[in-house]
Amino acid sequence: MKIITYNVNGLRAALKKGWLDWLKSTNADVICLQEIKATPDLIPEIALLEQLGYEHYWYPAQKKGYSGTAIFTKVSPKRVEYGCGHELYDFEGRIIRADFEKFSVMSTYFPSGTTGETRQTFKYQFLDDFQQYSDRLLKDIPNLIVCGDYNICHRAIDIHNPKSNANTSGFLPEEREWMENFINSGYVDSFRHLNPEPHQYSWWSYRAGARARNLGWRIDYNMVSAPLASQIEKSYLLNDAVHSDHCPVVVEISE
């Protein structure tokens, strides 16, 4: 089963850059989207999406043009869960989960703290609450894949300049410690599990030609719960896809 996570930074903008043709070429079974910034009624290409064989489940933010997650899947889920039951995060459409026969897949969009102290505090609260949410979920759904934009670089290898970014949101010690603890609570970073090499990133600033120079951050993950770890067959970046300031990240799971 081929699963892709992709922060599209606005699905309507991505569609204008050939996103649907790209999706067809990937032949993904499940694609988890973040920052859709749209509701389905604003997407005239939905009929084309359905022609490709995808069912589509949307969880847009209440605020128009902001945040939001979605899951497009060729495999019919048994159940779709919208939100996590926390009003603040559900208002921003940050979590959607599809339950399949043998495992569940979640699309998540973690908050960014780059706009100031208020949002950084919000981010820390989200991290605490998400850890508790995950702990509860794993008891009922031990086979879980948490895909998404975590807005955190885990280790120095995951960022182009760790020294100059040591005090930057997304690479703060507290955030990195949370990521370490989250993984230790029952997950495998599927990309690093198979790819120990440096200079592999999933997000680049639009400034100063950062993408062309590969001055990036790896902040998008497919975290696979420990019971599924032996079924990770492949995990890789699709950094030639340029519909967004992020690139897609793929994990292939044997069934």
Side-chain angles (χ1 to χ4, degrees):
M1 198 164 183
K2 186 177 185 180
I3 301 163
I4 299 179
T5 188
Y6 198 175
N7 180 324
V8 289
N9 195 9
L11 184 55
R12 284 175 291 176
L15 284 162
K16 292 175 182 176
K17 299 174 184 175
W19 188 84
L20 205 59
D21 288 336
W22 167 84
L23 177 62
K24 184 178 180 180
S25 71
T26 68
N27 197 31
D29 296 293
V30 179
I31 183 157
C32 295
L33 302 181
Q34 302 86 42
E35 273 200 284
I36 55 174
K37 298 182 179 179
T39 49
D41 58 292
L42 298 175
I43 307 294
E45 294 88 349
I46 278 185
L48 297 174
L49 182 70
E50 292 172 348
Q51 287 174 21
L52 293 179
Y54 287 99
E55 298 178 19
H56 44 93
Y57 302 94
W58 306 70
Y59 197 46
Q62 295 297 308
K63 180 181 176 181
K64 291 184 178 181
Y66 176 73
S67 188
T69 51
I71 294 177
F72 299 166
T73 175
K74 289 185 175 181
V75 182
S76 294
K78 297 189 301 178
R79 178 171 178 266
V80 175
E81 180 75 16
Y82 298 89
C84 62
H86 194 296
E87 184 178 2
L88 286 176
Y89 315 135
D90 293 350
F91 182 81
E92 297 185 351
R94 293 196 173 270
I95 299 170
I96 182 172
R97 189 185 80 241
D99 297 334
F100 300 101
E101 194 64 40
K102 296 182 179 178
F103 51 78
S104 296
V105 177
M106 187 187 300
S107 180
T108 61
Y109 178 42
F110 285 44
S112 168
T114 56
T115 56
E117 187 176 338
T118 299
R119 287 304 286 184
Q120 186 65 40
T121 300
F122 181 81
K123 182 177 185 178
Y124 285 139
Q125 186 61 56
F126 177 91
L127 295 178
D128 288 344
D129 291 337
F130 190 82
Q131 181 67 72
Q132 295 177 39
Y133 178 61
S134 167
D135 291 344
R136 292 194 301 270
L137 269 185
L138 286 179
K139 292 177 181 177
D140 296 324
I141 307 174
N143 295 341
L144 179 63
I145 303 170
V146 183
C147 309
D149 175 2
Y150 283 58
N151 267 309
I152 300 171
C153 286
H154 180 203
R155 294 178 174 157
I157 193 176
D158 300 313
I159 190 168
H160 74 91
N161 195 335
K163 290 184 179 178
S164 66
N165 286 295
N167 296 311
T168 303
S169 178
F171 195 58
L172 295 172
E174 298 88 344
E175 296 170 324
R176 296 171 61 199
E177 181 182 11
W178 180 89
M179 184 69 88
E180 186 73 22
N181 291 335
F182 178 71
I183 291 171
N184 290 337
S185 75
Y187 292 94
V188 172
D189 177 349
S190 62
F191 181 78
R192 278 288 171 236
H193 182 63
L194 300 178
N195 301 278
E197 303 85 6
H199 313 302
Q200 302 193 76
Y201 309 121
S202 66
W203 175 83
W204 302 262
S205 170
Y206 281 129
R207 290 179 235 158
R211 189 161 190 164
R213 298 159 63 202
N214 198 30
L215 305 179
W217 299 40
R218 192 174 71 94
I219 57 176
D220 302 271
Y221 301 83
N222 295 307
M223 293 290 186
V224 175
S225 65
L228 282 174
S230 63
Q231 294 171 239
I232 300 171
E233 290 196 335
K234 297 179 182 177
S235 187
Y236 48 95
L237 305 169
L238 295 176
N239 46 23
D240 289 336
V242 290
H243 315 97
S244 167
D245 49 350
H246 296 250
C247 80
V249 185
V250 185
V251 63
E252 296 185 19
I253 301 288
S254 63
E255 294 189 72

